[in-house]
Amino acid sequence: MKNIVFIGMMGSGKTTLGRCISQKMSKVFIDLDEYIENGEGMEIQEIFEKYGEEHFRRLELAYAKDLSKRNDVVIATGGGVIKSDEAIGALKSGIVIWIDRPDNMIFDSIDTEKRPLIKSNPKAFFDISAKRRPVYESVCDYHFLNDLDEDEACTKLLSVIEKMQKDND
């Protein structure tokens, strides 16, 4: 079976829904950011602070390529993975689903202090989102609007994934 790969903005629900979907489908769940943190022995925020975004993106690409070699796993990516055509190309070996949550819902729920790209300017979130939305749309196999509560979103997303897998068989 193909991997199921979630893309979308920070705070859109990729990890939460990924964990739920993986549990319901009895699949392994991997959060790309956590995978990088475990591999590098430091948190994403620390990588950004010590080495900068460019270094982090190189790591993200290497780890995305590594994960793309696996089969039948659920992967939640970081919001900026779409900045690398090569990373997206590797992840497209799976089914790519854009988890799209309205910006105001995300902004009201995230801790901006833990988000390196918006820590010093939280309002930059909206600019980042505006730039990334067209890219998410262009690379995804399915666009999922996550404006429901967690249980409803998981149930709805599960039915979408099951239908997509049937169609791909």
Side-chain angles (χ1 to χ4, degrees):
M1 283 283 199
K2 286 185 168 187
N3 292 335
I4 299 165
V5 180
F6 296 129
I7 62 171
M9 281 296 290
M10 61 184 91
S12 62
K14 300 178 303 282
T15 299
T16 300
L17 289 172
R19 284 194 172 105
C20 181
I21 293 297
S22 68
Q23 183 180 20
K24 288 184 180 290
M25 297 182 79
S26 299
K27 295 182 183 287
V28 172
F29 171 73
I30 302 167
D31 180 284
L32 180 56
D33 283 350
E34 289 176 9
Y35 193 62
I36 294 168
E37 289 176 342
N38 291 335
E40 298 302 306
M42 65 179 77
E43 293 183 0
I44 300 299
Q45 188 171 337
E46 188 179 355
I47 295 169
F48 266 81
E49 288 169 2
K50 283 187 173 182
Y51 305 107
E53 182 179 3
E54 189 175 315
H55 177 79
F56 171 75
R57 297 297 172 203
R58 284 193 301 272
L59 290 174
E60 186 176 51
L61 171 60
Y63 283 92
K65 283 181 170 180
D66 183 54
L67 284 181
S68 71
K69 295 174 188 168
R70 307 222 12 209
N71 288 310
D72 207 28
V73 296
V74 176
I75 301 168
T77 66
V81 74
I82 49 107
K83 292 178 86 172
S84 166
D85 291 341
E86 198 174 351
I88 284 298
L91 294 168
K92 288 282 289 174
S93 63
I95 298 169
V96 177
I97 300 172
W98 172 24
I99 306 297
D100 180 15
R101 191 168 176 217
D103 285 349
N104 61 327
M105 289 177 75
I106 294 174
F107 192 76
D108 291 345
S109 68
I110 60 173
D111 179 356
T112 57
E113 286 298 309
K114 294 183 178 180
R115 306 294 180 158
L117 293 179
I118 62 171
K119 182 178 180 177
S120 62
N121 178 12
K123 297 295 182 187
F125 167 84
F126 297 99
D127 295 332
I128 293 168
S129 177
K131 288 178 187 165
R132 290 183 181 174
R133 292 181 73 74
V135 182
Y136 292 136
E137 187 169 10
S138 72
V139 301
C140 75
D141 297 308
Y142 187 83
H143 175 190
F144 181 79
L145 181 60
N146 182 19
D147 60 354
L148 306 167
D149 71 46
E150 186 179 322
D151 290 334
E152 289 176 303
C154 186
T155 300
K156 184 177 177 183
L157 184 56
L158 179 61
S159 68
V160 165
I161 292 168
E162 288 172 339
K163 183 181 181 325
M164 289 179 79
Q165 287 183 327
K166 276 184 187 173
D167 293 347
N168 283 330
D169 284 346

